[in-house]
Amino acid sequence: MPISGPSSYLPTTDEFIAHWNHANALLAPGSPIILANATSVSTLTSLRTTLEANRRTVEEARNALEGARADIELIKSRMLDRLNQFTGKIRSLASGTRWEPMLPKAFSITDGMGRVIPPLDEMADLWERYTEAVGPLTLRDGYPLGGFQETLAELKSCYTRWTTADVALGLARGLRNETQVMIYEILKHYRQRIPVEFAPGSAILETLPRLTPLPGSTPDAVTLAAAYNPETKKADLAWSEVLDKEVTELEIRATAGPEYDPEDETVVARFSPSDPREWTGTFGLLVPGSAATFKVYSITPEGNEHGSNAVTVIRPATG
């Protein structure tokens, strides 16, 4: 499997490790292939282990980011509702007084922290001032000022978690990418070395793994559809028939969150074109309010690939 992105590094590295071990077995005893800087197959194997750990760290950081995002969206929706309730109640109780012009403007549900927190802080301050000057005020269902202050603190904590997770994800990606660069250089130098050690036409040379796809056309993509199943709490995926005869493999790849990011994609399943065109799983959907985005990639024997449309599945905040 040629390298097509971060998700292909591990299987490609596995192919090279297996090939390197076979090559060593064919050489004279005690004369294994050693590249520059004393790089051996053991070096590559160790880096492969490191990369696997790097990828787990990236996935964990992305899941933490998505968990914080889901919590933010859930609390933000509740807070916007309370802000609208507060505005309505103040206008009904104090229309035309000094309190009405002090009411904060509502934010949009799609706004980020910079537009969400200020009006909520203003609301908390105004509510407290109104209570001191006029008397206690509660919203629908007897919701008190103290409850609002606690929820606002929780929302701010979620934004802090989101920022921390975003920084952690950037660091995890950087470490993963550094390991990938080291692996790529070893694989490239190994490919340069094999023709030196083995004669043209030899089996070991003919089976040398590739780093890039062979020339060929980009395959046709399938069309993907997906939905959340509230009974199983899983994503149900289905895709169109594979009509391109050059396609020999399909991969379902996914990223946690409402947008597809090929840098963080994870291969969650593999199929042949003749397999049933459906898959179900919990990737990225373990907590209420979370989301995951999926693609199905059509792949040819040469390593050329084409991704389907991206589809996002969202687990309801109450399910």
Side-chain angles (χ1 to χ4, degrees):
M1 172 185 289
I3 290 176
S4 58
S7 66
S8 62
Y9 263 85
L10 287 179
T12 301
T13 302
D14 287 339
E15 289 182 5
F16 272 82
I17 289 172
H19 193 273
W20 199 328
N21 283 324
H22 283 303
N24 284 345
L26 293 174
L27 294 172
S31 301
I33 295 175
I34 305 295
L35 305 180
N37 300 317
T39 301
S40 67
V41 68
S42 296
T43 308
L44 180 58
T45 302
S46 178
L47 281 172
R48 191 255 185 229
T49 300
T50 299
L51 180 58
E52 188 171 29
N54 291 157
R55 288 188 58 80
R56 282 197 301 269
T57 303
V58 168
E59 187 170 337
E60 289 166 0
R62 180 134 193 139
N63 287 338
L65 186 71
E66 169 58 13
R69 184 206 64 80
D71 289 342
I72 287 169
E73 296 305 314
L74 177 62
I75 299 173
K76 187 167 64 172
S77 177
R78 298 204 313 257
M79 297 295 270
L80 179 58
D81 186 45
R82 292 300 185 184
L83 175 57
N84 290 330
Q85 290 176 34
F86 179 78
T87 298
K89 191 151 190 177
I90 290 295
R91 284 179 174 157
S92 70
L93 293 174
S95 177
T97 70
R98 64 188 176 93
W99 300 105
E100 190 173 20
M102 298 170 65
L103 287 170
K105 294 182 179 180
F107 56 85
S108 169
I109 196 63
T110 59
D111 283 342
M113 179 175 64
R115 292 183 178 271
V116 171
I117 295 300
L120 295 177
D121 278 336
E122 292 172 18
M123 175 179 162
D125 179 68
L126 182 59
W127 195 343
E128 189 171 357
R129 291 174 184 272
Y130 184 91
T131 299
E132 292 174 354
V134 180
L137 181 147
T138 59
L139 304 182
R140 188 181 303 147
D141 302 321
Y143 188 75
L145 171 60
F148 179 80
Q149 291 170 328
E150 289 178 3
T151 306
L152 179 55
E154 183 182 359
L155 178 60
K156 290 179 179 179
S157 176
C158 288
Y159 274 119
T160 298
R161 284 200 295 117
W162 187 92
T163 301
T164 300
D166 190 44
V167 172
L169 178 57
L171 177 60
R173 281 177 179 152
L175 293 174
R176 179 203 63 191
N177 292 347
E178 287 176 6
T179 305
Q180 288 177 174
V181 168
M182 289 188 286
I183 287 176
Y184 190 92
E185 288 302 306
I186 291 174
L187 304 188
K188 182 177 70 174
H189 293 151
Y190 176 77
R191 281 185 53 85
Q192 294 170 346
R193 179 66 173 276
I194 287 297
V196 176
E197 300 289 345
F198 296 91
S202 62
I204 200 70
L205 188 57
E206 294 297 318
T207 57
L208 181 60
R210 296 192 58 83
L211 275 177
T212 57
L214 287 166
S217 60
T218 301
D220 295 334
V222 298
T223 301
L224 176 64
Y228 180 73
N229 188 325
E231 294 184 0
T232 62
K233 292 183 170 58
K234 295 180 179 180
D236 290 338
L237 275 61
W239 51 93
S240 60
E241 182 180 359
V242 178
L243 301 178
D244 191 331
K245 302 303 181 183
E246 297 300 315
V247 174
T248 56
E249 184 180 19
L250 299 173
E251 282 187 351
I252 298 176
R253 302 179 192 172
T255 57
E259 296 181 0
Y260 194 85
D261 188 343
E263 277 296 298
D264 294 339
E265 65 186 11
T266 297
V267 177
V268 297
R270 291 185 173 91
F271 295 87
S272 74
S274 60
D275 287 335
R277 303 192 305 275
E278 57 187 24
W279 176 85
T280 183
T282 59
F283 180 92
L285 302 171
L286 294 178
V287 297
S290 57
T293 306
F294 300 86
K295 278 189 176 185
V296 174
Y297 278 79
S298 302
I299 306 171
T300 69
E302 295 79 23
N304 294 294
E305 61 181 37
H306 193 181
S308 70
N309 54 305
V311 180
T312 298
V313 177
I314 299 174
R315 178 173 175 175
T318 57

